[in-house]
Amino acid sequence: MSSLLSVSDIKDDVKYILDLASKIKAGEMEEKPLEGKTLAMIFQKSSTRTRVSFDVGMYQLGGRAIFLSSNDLQMGRGEPISDTAKVLSRFVDGIMIRAIKHSDVEELAKHADVPVINGLTDLEHPCQALADMLTIKEHLGDWEGKKICFVGDGNNVSNSLLLIAPLLGMDMSLACPKGYEPNEDILKTAQEYADDNNTEITITDDIGLALQNVDAVFTDVWVSMGDEAEAKQREIDFAPFQVNSDLMSLANDGAIFMHCLPAIRGQEVTAEVIDGPQSVIYDEAENRMHAQKAVLYYYMKD
């Protein structure tokens, strides 16, 4: 059964899915293509955008979504993930899971007989990456020849961006403190994609180098869910990597600012930037729903 656990799972169909998202957003697709379909949504972590966008997206596609927190499932009382996967597969047509550990999502997909969609793990956030790419095309016209830069932690968001950027013909740089580099396996795969598509990937702690010729600047919170014990040290280590007006001035004229949200103004980004004219964060948030509707159509349409 085909599932979306990583950007790599759709490496040959990324452009198709994004084109589908654009058509769905423009109202150019059939109405209610998932009528009669049900999506189970499992949440091990709290959520605003993921929960609402998948729920509303399924409704708009003609189907329905069922919200299941860890407390609602026997998984929370020790039932094996494999049993949950097999049982849910008898009831629903797809499963979206926002999980703490990526290995849990892999285990769920291994035993499910319906598509499993990664709504976020500690390793990747593929749905966010798709929404980001849809937003870039809307604001910058195309992907080919553009360069994006992620400033901050080599986390799940930056991991998925590293994979998707070269697949769309974009260069990418990641400016992060030493010790906060992205996952080594992800980086290796991303470099292979870059080599295949004649694009460049740069990982550096030199902010000036990372921001050269950049068309879109990304950041994320310094302390993700699960990293709270490291909060004080992270605030120290990431302080020089705050996205402010001086940092944005290093990017190209007309560069846009992006953030997956939630954001902490005054920490990873200043209010001047996130609420300023270069920011496209609310378009980016809205596009979570349109990109995910395309994913749901791609995986759940008969």
Side-chain angles (χ1 to χ4, degrees), residues 129 132-133 136 145-167 169-175 182 186-187 190-191 194 198-204 209-219:
D132 292 344
M133 295 304 108
I136 284 176
K146 299 294 191 297
K147 181 181 178 181
I148 65 174
C149 177
F150 187 97
V151 180
D153 195 7
N155 63 6
N156 47 10
V157 174
S158 60
N159 283 339
S160 288
L161 287 172
L162 282 166
L163 292 172
I164 204 169
L167 294 174
M170 291 188 296
D171 295 333
M172 179 172 171
S173 58
L174 195 159
I186 293 281
L187 184 56
Q191 187 59 60
N198 196 31
T199 61
E200 294 185 0
I201 288 175
T202 304
I203 312 296
T204 180
L209 174 64
L211 269 291
Q212 289 180 3
N213 301 314
V214 164
D215 302 292
V217 178
F218 292 76
T219 194

Side-chain angles (χ1 to χ4, degrees), residues 207 211 242-251 270 272-273:
I207 296 173
L211 269 291
Q242 182 190 67
V243 179
N244 51 37
S245 295
D246 289 341
L247 185 147
M248 288 297 296
S249 71
L250 300 175
T270 61
E272 183 181 13
V273 170

Side-chain angles (χ1 to χ4, degrees), residues 43 45-52 98 225 288:
F43 286 87
K45 286 186 173 184
S46 58
S47 170
T48 298
R49 280 148 293 275
T50 299
R51 178 176 177 178
V52 177
R98 183 176 173 90
M225 286 181 283
R288 282 291 303 279

Side-chain angles (χ1 to χ4, degrees), residues 36-65:
K37 302 281 189 178
T38 301
L39 176 73
M41 304 191 304
I42 301 174
F43 286 87
Q44 296 179 345
K45 286 186 173 184
S46 58
S47 170
T48 298
R49 280 148 293 275
T50 299
R51 178 176 177 178
V52 177
S53 58
F54 268 107
D55 199 333
V56 175
M58 273 299 291
Y59 172 77
Q60 292 183 356
L61 292 171
R64 62 168 302 195

Side-chain angles (χ1 to χ4, degrees), residues 109-168:
K110 178 181 177 181
H111 296 282
D113 294 322
V114 297
V116 172
I117 298 168
N118 176 1
L120 176 141
T121 68
D122 57 343
L123 183 64
E124 274 206 59
H125 200 349
C127 291
Q128 181 66 54
L130 286 167
D132 292 344
M133 295 304 108
L134 181 60
T135 307
I136 284 176
K137 186 169 186 180
E138 290 176 347
H139 283 272
L140 300 180
D142 204 352
W143 305 294
E144 198 77 28
K146 299 294 191 297
K147 181 181 178 181
I148 65 174
C149 177
F150 187 97
V151 180
D153 195 7
N155 63 6
N156 47 10
V157 174
S158 60
N159 283 339
S160 288
L161 287 172
L162 282 166
L163 292 172
I164 204 169
L167 294 174
L168 295 171

Side-chain angles (χ1 to χ4, degrees), residues 5-71:
L5 309 188
S6 163
V7 168
S8 293
D9 293 325
I10 51 172
K11 66 184 181 68
D12 296 324
D13 291 317
V14 167
K15 289 183 179 179
Y16 170 79
I17 291 173
L18 288 167
D19 182 59
L20 189 60
S22 295
K23 290 179 179 178
I24 289 174
K25 185 174 181 178
E28 298 174 3
M29 297 295 294
E30 63 184 292
E31 290 188 11
K32 302 188 183 307
L34 299 186
E35 189 168 8
K37 302 281 189 178
T38 301
L39 176 73
M41 304 191 304
I42 301 174
F43 286 87
Q44 296 179 345
K45 286 186 173 184
S46 58
S47 170
T48 298
R49 280 148 293 275
T50 299
R51 178 176 177 178
V52 177
S53 58
F54 268 107
D55 199 333
V56 175
M58 273 299 291
Y59 172 77
Q60 292 183 356
L61 292 171
R64 62 168 302 195
I66 302 173
F67 172 78
L68 301 166
S69 74
S70 296
N71 293 331

